[in-house]
Amino acid sequence: MRLLILYGSQTGTAQDVAEQLWRSSKSYGFEGPVLPMDDYPVHKLVEESLVLFVVATTGDGDEPENMRNFWKFLLRRSLPTNSLENLQYACLGLGDSSYAKFNYAAKKLNKRLQQLGGKQIIPLGLCDDQHDHGFGAVSLPWMDQLWQEMEKRLGIRADCREASGKVFKWQCKVLNNTTIDYKDNDHIQWPHKDEAQKFTLLANERTTDPKHFQDVRLLQFESNNERWFPGDIFQVQPHNSEQQVDEFFSWVQEHQLDFGPDTVVEVTSNFVDMPLPKCFSKPLSLRQMATYLWDLSHRPRQRAFELLALQCEDELEKEKLMEFTTTEGLDSLISYINRPRRTILEVLQDFRQASSKLTLNVLIELFSFIQPRSFSIASCMDSSKLDLLVAVVEYKTKLSKPRLGLCSNWLKSLVVGKQIFGCIKMGTMKLPKDAETPIIMVGPGTGVAPFRSVIQSRHYQLKELPNKRDPLLVLYFGCRNKNKDYHFQHDLEFWSKEGILSLHCAFSRDQESKIYVQHLIEKNAEQLQHFILEQRAVILVAGSSKNMPKSVKEAFIKVLNGQEDLIEQMIKQKRYQEETWS
């Protein structure tokens, strides 16, 4: 029986969950592909009878990029309301409740499928990354309920519940007497649909004071005549550090496994319904995989422990590994992995008996791929340079070794003249087309990055306009100290003196009582009311999703004398937009 599984996500999480469903479906004898939504011809959905959807929400309640065309098709008014009357489906959403539009993409999809006649197998599942158990708190019981309902509806039974753990996507063949230069990065296929371009690094400078707790970098790349617009993003594919790669192969050597860095492998798919990733389209050395493909900093999910347990001969280790794969063992798994941010390499070192039995097939199945990272472009196209403002992630947990963000530390290590692969993509911010529409920007910390691009662009646009009026751009910037982490100070103060920017800075630690951007917003209520109510200003908010967006929104509601409905209306009209990250 055919079962189609589709996922929409900008990270690998939705794909992992979709593949977990796919492995379980094999126990019931189902056949059918697991695909990103943009790889499936959506017009054929009317021919499907059984589909599972896994959908993540991005940005300000937006559908992920690889779902956009799929979603646009489903929104066509020409589609009859009975288009999907033969479809039985289930939908699982992946979201974060710290965002206002929690799981909005999944909710929209679920509602639209019902409007077109689709019939739910079980209610929509809404996973929350803020839960102590992560997505598993909802996804695991949701999957159990799904298969129980499928058994009732279709009269099917699983041949063997344990069989799903032994379903391998890939088959590896060692190519003897073959060598590949692992530094030949051109040999690695860019794993995304958009064609990658090479960008040359021109500058890599720390912008924060050396005594400041955080290293923030301004990276400048040669633009190569690429086109972008304010609010667009730059997507890069990071690499593991040489230290991490060497650490991995030291572990391989220590366990005397029958493969090494120079082992060249050809990977094929074990199933016709499991497409082979582009990065496996050519043979690769294990050093290439460990450098460019595998995320050695990844926090492993339950599937990794399932794989480690397969050939483990030590009873105590196997028992613990299997505990981590159960719903009942989630508390233990969270304590072991999530709270200390333990990496897959550290797990391999902890479970030494299980690790010593790893085969090449299990190893390639074990690692998650490095996911692309996206950064707001901090310069406009007219500047002819592509700038990024990147906070380097480094922090401590109870483990002795500091936790390092893979991408930010990779970017930090780049030397001038280095070429990297990158791709410019359309951002989620919608800027007003009329250059005389005021823009109110709130960008604490590195959230100021996209607004530097906006201000630069407006600077060029406004050169021909009369200068005898209030600035059309308002920026609320916040940081800890004026002398330590005031990003783009020279640029912002220059634009302020030029009269095109109304600049308001909150330096939270420079006085006894802390001052944040929301306090300055409330303080400037009269000016903001004028812009919002009389000139239909657009409000853009960028930065951390933790507390800032909620506090800023409450401040604007106060500015508008408690008119929360007006803010909600502005959100619908895209006059109030948030671009935040956790």
Side-chain angles (χ1 to χ4, degrees):
M1 185 180 299
R2 178 177 168 83
L3 171 65
L4 172 65
I5 303 174
L6 298 175
Y7 62 89
S9 177
Q10 290 183 185
T11 67
T13 306
Q15 182 177 353
D16 288 346
V17 174
E19 290 181 359
Q20 186 177 356
L21 283 166
W22 174 80
R23 285 191 298 273
S24 298
S25 75
K26 295 300 177 188
S27 302
Y28 292 91
F30 285 109
E31 298 292 337
V34 52
L35 296 169
M37 291 185 179
D38 56 356
D39 279 358
Y40 176 75
V42 61
H43 62 275
K44 290 192 173 183
L45 194 62
V46 296
E47 302 172 12
E48 302 288 351
S49 59
L50 201 56
V51 182
L52 305 180
F53 297 92
V54 182
V55 181
T57 296
T58 63
D60 188 20
D62 299 314
E63 62 279 0
E65 184 183 3
N66 69 355
M67 179 183 167
R68 286 176 187 167
N69 291 334
F70 187 95
W71 180 238
K72 284 179 184 177
F73 181 88
L74 289 186
L75 288 179
R76 289 185 178 182
R77 294 182 179 180
S78 59
L79 291 177
T81 55
N82 63 347
S83 298
L84 302 179
E85 63 181 357
N86 296 321
L87 176 68
Q88 295 188 76
Y89 77 92
C91 187
L92 180 67
L94 307 181
D96 185 324
S97 59
S98 66
Y99 291 81
K101 294 186 177 180
F102 172 58
N103 263 313
Y104 201 59
K107 292 174 182 176
K108 288 192 297 185
L109 175 64
N110 190 63
K111 183 177 180 180
R112 184 57 177 159
L113 292 172
Q114 289 178 322
Q115 289 173 343
L116 295 174
K119 299 172 182 64
Q120 273 187 307
I121 300 170
I122 60 172
L124 170 67
L126 299 176
C127 300
D128 184 5
D129 200 32
Q130 291 296 318
H131 193 284
D132 285 344
H133 292 168
F135 292 147
V138 170
S139 68
L140 294 177
W142 183 88
M143 289 181 193
D144 287 341
Q145 184 186 359
L146 171 70
W147 298 121
Q148 289 170 12
E149 185 62 27
M150 296 270 265
E151 287 179 355
K152 291 178 185 176
R153 291 191 180 206
L154 304 177
I156 56 174
R157 293 290 182 273
D159 293 336
C160 176
R161 284 281 181 178
E162 292 74 28
S164 65
K166 299 177 183 178
V167 176
F168 279 61
K169 297 179 291 184
W170 321 124
Q171 180 65 41
C172 305
K173 177 184 178 183
V174 175
L175 302 182
N176 295 316
N177 303 318
T178 303
T179 58
I180 295 175
D181 180 4
Y182 83 94
K183 291 183 179 179
D184 178 18
N185 192 16
D186 291 342
H187 185 70
I188 305 294
Q189 295 290 306
W190 176 257
H192 320 296
K193 277 187 172 292
D194 301 273
E195 186 176 349
Q197 304 295 328
K198 279 187 176 181
F199 291 80
T200 303
L201 183 66
L202 301 177
N204 185 350
E205 300 173 354
R206 176 168 178 152
T207 65
T208 49
D209 187 273
K211 294 180 182 178
H212 189 60
F213 79 99
Q214 187 168 46
D215 183 353
V216 178
R217 296 270 155 172
L218 177 61
L219 295 103
Q220 190 171 77
F221 294 90
E222 191 173 10
S223 67
N224 297 334
N225 297 318
E226 295 290 323
R227 292 182 60 80
W228 72 90
F229 299 93
D232 282 354
I233 59 176
F234 185 56
Q235 189 178 79
V236 297
Q237 186 73 17
H239 308 158
N240 290 309
S241 67
E242 288 187 20
Q243 181 181 352
Q244 285 177 302
V245 175
D246 290 343
E247 182 183 348
F248 169 70
F249 285 111
S250 293
W251 167 82
V252 170
Q253 187 176 24
E254 178 187 347
H255 286 78
Q256 299 181 338
L257 301 176
D258 58 354
F259 45 81
D262 297 324
T263 304
V264 177
V265 178
E266 181 181 64
V267 181
T268 55
S269 177
N270 277 327
F271 297 90
V272 294
D273 52 16
M274 177 56 69
L276 193 70
K278 284 199 300 183
C279 56
F280 285 154
S281 61
K282 298 179 182 178
L284 300 171
S285 70
L286 288 190
R287 185 176 286 277
Q288 281 182 310
M289 292 185 186
T291 303
Y292 303 119
L293 299 186
W294 297 337
D295 188 345
L296 301 182
S297 302
H298 181 67
R299 281 179 281 152
R301 300 188 179 95
Q302 288 182 309
R303 172 61 173 166
F305 298 98
E306 191 175 52
L307 289 166
L308 283 171
L310 285 178
Q311 293 173 297
C312 181
E313 297 175 356
D314 183 278
E315 290 187 10
L316 289 176
E317 279 198 6
K318 186 161 188 170
E319 183 180 350
K320 191 63 178 177
L321 290 166
M322 291 308 298
E323 178 192 344
F324 285 156
T325 68
T326 64
T327 304
E328 295 74 21
L330 274 177
D331 272 326
S332 298
L333 180 63
I334 297 300
S335 296
Y336 175 64
I337 292 293
N338 288 24
R339 294 192 179 109
R341 300 294 195 267
R342 203 179 302 268
T343 69
I344 182 64
L345 287 186
E346 290 166 335
V347 169
L348 292 176
Q349 291 162 353
D350 284 351
F351 289 91
R352 300 178 65 84
Q353 298 301 319
S355 300
S356 66
K357 301 298 180 183
L358 285 182
T359 64
L360 194 53
N361 269 336
V362 172
L363 191 74
I364 290 181
E365 197 88 10
L366 181 70
F367 283 106
S368 295
F369 286 151
I370 296 173
Q371 295 299 312
R373 292 349 189 236
S374 297
F375 297 91
S376 296
I377 299 175
S379 56
C380 77
M381 192 170 60
D382 296 296
S383 72
S384 75
K385 302 292 186 293
L386 190 152
D387 294 350
L388 303 180
L389 188 67
V390 179
V392 179
V393 178
E394 180 176 348
Y395 57 94
K396 292 185 177 180
T397 66
K398 69 178 184 180
L399 301 177
S400 59
K401 195 173 181 180
R403 308 292 93 181
L404 303 178
L406 188 157
C407 186
S408 62
N409 281 275
W410 169 70
L411 288 170
K412 174 184 174 180
S413 72
L414 297 179
V415 297
V416 172
K418 177 71 174 179
Q419 287 189 323
I420 69 167
F421 284 101
C423 185
I424 294 171
K425 305 179 81 66
M426 183 175 67
T428 58
M429 284 186 181
K430 306 297 181 187
L431 302 180
K433 294 180 181 179
D434 185 352
E436 296 200 51
T437 299
I439 303 178
I440 302 166
M441 300 165 285
V442 184
T446 55
V448 74
F451 301 138
R452 181 172 179 255
S453 176
V454 172
I455 300 165
Q456 273 188 354
S457 178
R458 273 298 177 92
H459 189 198
Y460 289 105
Q461 289 179 336
L462 294 173
K463 281 182 177 179
E464 305 301 322
L465 294 176
N467 209 23
K468 297 178 181 178
R469 47 177 160 65
D470 291 337
L472 298 174
L473 299 172
V474 181
L475 174 66
Y476 289 89
F477 170 75
C479 65
R480 291 196 172 202
N481 308 100
K482 182 176 182 178
N483 296 325
K484 291 185 178 180
D485 57 337
Y486 186 176
H487 307 309
F488 304 129
Q489 178 179 0
H490 178 270
D491 291 338
L492 297 180
E493 292 181 354
F494 169 76
W495 289 319
S496 178
K497 289 176 183 177
E498 285 280 294
I500 66 163
L501 176 66
S502 177
L503 177 62
H504 307 267
C505 296
F507 305 113
S508 63
R509 306 300 200 275
D510 278 353
Q511 60 283 312
E512 188 174 339
S513 59
K514 294 178 182 177
I515 298 176
Y516 297 112
V517 289
Q518 59 265 29
H519 300 138
L520 299 186
I521 290 169
E522 293 178 34
K523 184 179 178 181
N524 295 307
E526 186 176 342
Q527 181 196 43
L528 293 173
Q529 283 178 2
H530 170 73
F531 278 136
I532 296 169
L533 299 176
E534 297 180 30
Q535 295 189 272
R536 295 188 59 79
V538 170
I539 300 172
L540 305 176
V541 182
S544 169
S545 64
K546 193 173 182 182
N547 298 315
M548 183 273 294
K550 181 181 178 182
S551 298
V552 166
K553 189 176 179 181
E554 289 172 350
F556 277 112
I557 292 172
K558 288 181 181 178
V559 164
L560 297 172
N561 300 316
Q563 296 184 70
E564 188 172 351
D565 290 347
L566 178 55
I567 291 292
E568 293 304 319
Q569 183 181 356
M570 291 176 67
I571 291 172
K572 291 178 181 178
Q573 295 170 346
K574 292 294 184 181
R575 286 182 57 207
Y576 191 109
Q577 303 171 47
E578 293 178 350
E579 185 175 279
T580 58
W581 51 87
S582 55

